[in-house]
Amino acid sequence: MKNINELFVSKLKVLNIGLKDFNGNILNSGGESINVNWTPPADGDPELLEIIRKIKESSAAGQ
Amino acid sequence: MKKNIIIQKNSYFDSVELMKFSKALKKLENINDAQLIMGTDANKKFLIQMGLKDPKIADAAPLDLIIYMESESDLFEEDIILMVEEVMSKTASTTSSLYEPSSIEGALKTYRDINLALISVPGQYAAWEALNALRNDLHVMIFSDNVSLEDEIRLKTLGKEKDLLVMGPDCGTSIINNIPLGFANRTNKGGVGLVSASGTGLQAVTAMVHNLGGGISQAIGTGGRDLSKEVGGITMLMGLDALMADESTKIIVLISKPPASEVADKIFKRASEGSKPVIIYFIGENVESPRKGDLYFPKNLSHCAIMAVAQEKYGSIPEEMLDYSTEFRNTPPRPDTGLFIRGLYTGGTLADEAITILASNGVDINTNLHHKSARPVKDPLVSEGHCIIDLGDDFFTRGKAHPMIDPASRRKRLQIEIKDPHTAVMLLDIVLGDGAHEDMVDALSPALSEHSGKIICAYVLGTDLDIQDMASQLTKLKELGVFCFESHSDMVEFASKVVGSWS
């Protein structure tokens, strides 16, 4: 079975990354959700984030 | 009056949590104003524009919490911090588990059966998190906006390679396996499957399908750019294929603003090759014929829902349902003053549909939306003639909460429109469901109760399963003398009739 159709017949389990309210809404409607204690990567520094992104990209390309 | 600024180092909260905290603090005795915001460059600029010159603001880092509080009398810093902590402990959203992982990888080590990531972080980080989720074989819904087109193409191409759904960016609504995600209405499970590039369009149709006794198998949001030439409708085509193969789905509904012509051709071809009937609503596009083989072309969002429920329940769409018209038995009411229709919308698709219907009835419309049948307003803050304003547009929401969440800006504008002697009819959308304000009617009631002589119309988008209790919202509106509609097109046709009765 293809991935998307497999999702439709599986139990939905959400990983919530961002607004905490969404996590609560899913739980309140009977769904399963795990909230990530998210903070901006690289301490919210856009320049540092770009450097990390490039390093990750080049390591992913080399895999 | 005393103004205080306090910086709390390394104390990150999301924007909705901060809005809730700020709102709760403003209600406290002795507090005139309170703003809790993160120390991003944009937020610091906003505080400086407000006239705050405290040097601590400039030193705040993006992960630092800035507490701004304006009080009647002097407050010690310790007291303010205690007050904030108390409000946070009372109003913070609940989470399910004691352990909250700090990354996708960390989460997957503990919870191996996670299958979808819902991403609503600030736009500049969303593509990063989505890419990570896809690499970990998760389906993705990206609620965040401000993601570049290049990143969207990259993410969707990877999703296609791995047969993983990439809903968004800027995807406000989806319902997967009967669980509402983002801003969505609670509906019964059933045989209507949807793929939509329009968030409120998807909400309007899913809610009406439910209200007509039907149910939803899956409702897949794609984000507004999916059907552009550049993205090529990747998510809509994948969603369409998946719904064709899904045993629970009996009929498929596709909704979008008119797509790029080459993308439209691909969608028509793929939809007509499938084994299930498909309803296609490209908002604002002229419909030549309501049916071509197993493809159906409704006139509006309500018509989509009616056709879908007929097919779901009876296995076919009867001939008489191929047309849609609204009949009003009574003579339209006449307002005491004014000549013009004024619409204050929170849903862009609904505003768009209102313009399409009014223009087709010969009403000249001004708007802040880009619409081929309407003139642009000179200033979005000032209505001209018949005027439809989308208050969810970037112009109004930059740095502020969306008016579906925070009704303050619409309430103020509504008061202005109602006092305007040129206003005859007001059009409003009241969107209920997860993510939306807990009691929109109550929040707007100070403005609605002053409407003497005007005809106020409200389209209530919701279901009996929504947390706001649709029935009580309708009752409150009726008590305020508002004309209520559960079909958006019916409300707009009603407004056309009202102005048509004297023009």
Side-chain angles (χ1 to χ4, degrees), chain B residues 59 103 142 171 228 283 317 394-395 403 458:
Chain B
D59 292 340
S103 67
I142 310 165
C171 172
S228 64
I283 305 154
I317 298 171
D394 284 351
F395 175 86

Side-chain angles (χ1 to χ4, degrees), chain A residues 2-5 7-8 10-11 13-15 17-21 33 35-38 40 44 52-53 57, chain B residues 12 14 20 63 93 96 101 113 115-121 125 128-129 131 154 162-163 177 218 242:
Chain A
K2 292 179 91 181
N3 269 333
I4 300 175
N5 289 96
L7 171 73
F8 292 167
S10 307
K11 176 129 187 96
K13 192 153 182 176
V14 176
L15 187 63
I17 308 165
L19 301 175
K20 270 192 175 180
D21 252 19
S33 181
N35 193 61
V36 170
N37 184 17
W38 187 87
I52 296 173
R53 186 202 284 258
E57 286 302 303
Chain B
Y12 181 82
D14 72 58
K20 286 197 286 189
L63 299 195
S93 298
S96 54
D113 50 350
N115 42 22
L116 186 144
L118 170 54
I119 296 169
S120 55
V121 298
Y125 308 111
W128 166 285
E129 298 295 346
L131 190 62
R154 194 155 150 248
K162 300 184 94 168
D163 194 38
N177 301 353
Q218 307 289 344

Side-chain angles (χ1 to χ4, degrees), chain B residues 170-190:
Chain B
D170 203 10
C171 172
T173 310
S174 287
I175 303 172
I176 302 295
N177 301 353
N178 208 33
I179 303 297
L181 301 174
F183 281 53
N185 301 89
R186 298 190 185 181
T187 56
N188 283 332
K189 197 156 176 53

Side-chain angles (χ1 to χ4, degrees), chain B residues 275-408:
Chain B
S275 56
K276 297 176 185 176
V278 182
I279 298 168
I280 301 175
Y281 180 43
F282 291 149
I283 305 154
E285 196 153 85
N286 291 333
V287 174
E288 287 166 19
S289 164
R291 180 178 182 177
K292 278 181 196 162
D294 251 358
L295 304 187
Y296 294 85
F297 302 95
K299 281 187 169 175
N300 52 51
L301 294 164
S302 305
H303 198 193
C304 275
I306 290 166
M307 281 182 166
V309 173
Q311 178 69 37
E312 184 198 15
K313 282 183 162 263
Y314 309 113
S316 67
I317 298 171
E319 202 64 28
E320 61 269 25
M321 279 192 187
L322 296 180
D323 194 19
Y324 181 95
S325 60
T326 313
E327 301 295 333
F328 297 105
R329 270 171 284 164
N330 301 326
T331 317
R334 183 134 198 192
D336 294 348
T337 60
L339 286 170
F340 298 124
I341 298 170
R342 299 278 164 84
L344 294 180
Y345 280 85
T346 59
T349 299
L350 299 173
D352 208 285
E353 187 176 78
I355 297 168
T356 302
I357 295 170
L358 291 168
S360 72
N361 290 333
V363 182
D364 288 331
I365 297 290
N366 300 286
T367 183
N368 66 328
L369 285 167
H370 298 286
H371 196 292
K372 63 180 182 189
S373 307
R375 275 190 303 271
V377 285
K378 287 185 206 85
D379 179 355
L381 297 171
V382 182
S383 294
E384 304 161 36
H386 297 295
C387 196
I388 299 292
I389 297 291
D390 172 20
L391 294 168
D393 184 70
D394 284 351
F395 175 86
F396 293 102
T397 57
R398 217 169 284 134
K400 289 181 190 159
H402 193 279
M404 274 185 207
I405 307 175
D406 184 355

